[in-house]
Amino acid sequence: HPPAGAAGAAVTFEFWNDRAFQVYDAAGQQALLDAFAQNPRPSTLSLQGRYTIQHFDAVEHGRALQVNDRTKFERPLRLKPPYMLPGYPQAQLPPGPFQFEFEDDDGQGNPVWRPYSQQLQDELQLLVLCAPPPAAAFFAEHRHAYWLFGLDELVSGLSKTQLVQENVRSGTHRQVALRPRGAAAPAGPGGALPPPPL
C-alpha cells in the first residue's frame, strides 16, 4: 500500500505506444488521477470503455499494464519520471556522473560490459531519481524490448542492489551495473564480471 499522502502528489501517466512512452489524453489522465487519489487505490479499473488497467495499485513500482479489452494486447503503463511520491525513499546514488552498463559478450564468448545508448542513459537516470524508484522499468533499445528489474533496491545502496535486464521476447537475463562514467570494467576471476560496488 502507498504511504499516506502519496495520492496527493502531482503525477502524469504514460503508456508504451510501441516506440516510446506517450502521455494519456486529458480524459484518460483525469480518470487515472481520480483512481490514483482513491484510498485504497484500485488494483483494476476500466479506462475509456476500451481498456482495463491491471495492477494499478502498484503503478509507482512499474507493475501496471493497460490491456485492450477486445484484443487482450498488453502495454506497460507508468508514472512519467521523475516523480516524487511523499513517504517514499529515494535511491542512494554514487557521487558524480555515472552510467548504466549491461553484461554482454565480445562475439568470441568473452564477457564484456557495454554502456547503454545515451538516450537510454538519460531515461534510466530519470528513473533512479524517482521516489520510489520502480521495481520494474520497461524500455526498448536497438529494436528489442526489455524489462529492468531492481532499481527499487537502490534505496538500500549499491552494495545491496542486483540489477537485471530481461529480454521480453526471449526471456534472456543479463546483469546490469551502475559505474562512474568513464571507469573501466576489469574482468574478475574466471572471466566473471560482477558489478563493482561504488
Side-chain angles (χ1 to χ4, degrees):
H1 295 288
V11 294
T12 301
F13 296 92
E14 301 179 312
F15 67 94
W16 182 253
N17 70 9
D18 295 332
R19 294 179 306 282
F21 277 98
Q22 176 179 328
V23 173
Y24 281 90
D25 64 19
Q29 200 71 233
Q30 190 58 56
L32 292 167
L33 284 169
D34 290 347
F36 193 72
Q38 292 179 28
N39 190 6
R41 193 185 314 152
S43 173
T44 303
L45 66 125
S46 179
L47 182 66
Q48 300 175 327
R50 297 183 314 211
Y51 306 107
T52 297
I53 306 302
Q54 297 179 347
H55 314 295
F56 190 67
D57 55 344
V59 65
E60 67 270 32
H61 303 296
R63 304 285 188 198
L65 295 172
Q66 172 189 282
V67 182
N68 185 301
D69 290 335
R70 185 176 57 82
T71 66
K72 305 304 179 197
F73 188 78
E74 298 179 351
R75 296 178 184 275
L77 179 159
R78 71 175 189 178
L79 298 176
K80 182 178 181 178
Y83 51 84
M84 304 288 281
L85 301 186
Y88 280 109
Q90 289 184 268
Q92 296 179 31
L93 299 173
F98 61 88
Q99 67 184 17
F100 288 84
E101 300 178 3
F102 65 96
E103 187 181 23
D104 199 5
D105 67 69
D106 64 1
Q108 299 176 352
N110 301 309
V112 293
W113 288 95
R114 299 192 193 281
Y116 290 112
S117 69
Q118 188 56 55
Q119 181 178 348
L120 184 54
Q121 296 286 348
D122 294 344
E123 174 80 4
L124 294 175
Q125 296 208 15
L126 287 177
L127 287 168
V128 297
L129 293 177
C130 294
F138 183 88
F139 68 92
E141 180 90 319
H142 305 298
R143 300 182 183 171
H144 295 284
Y146 302 95
W147 286 100
L148 177 61
F149 298 108
L151 293 176
D152 59 320
E153 296 177 19
L154 288 169
V155 300
S156 299
L158 282 171
S159 62
K160 299 178 182 176
T161 300
Q162 277 225 299
L163 300 175
V164 176
Q165 167 191 294
E166 179 182 273
N167 183 300
V168 170
R169 180 165 290 186
S170 69
T172 301
H173 290 89
R174 296 180 186 269
Q175 290 185 59
V176 175
L178 265 175
R179 298 187 197 283
R181 191 173 295 277
L193 291 170
L198 293 178

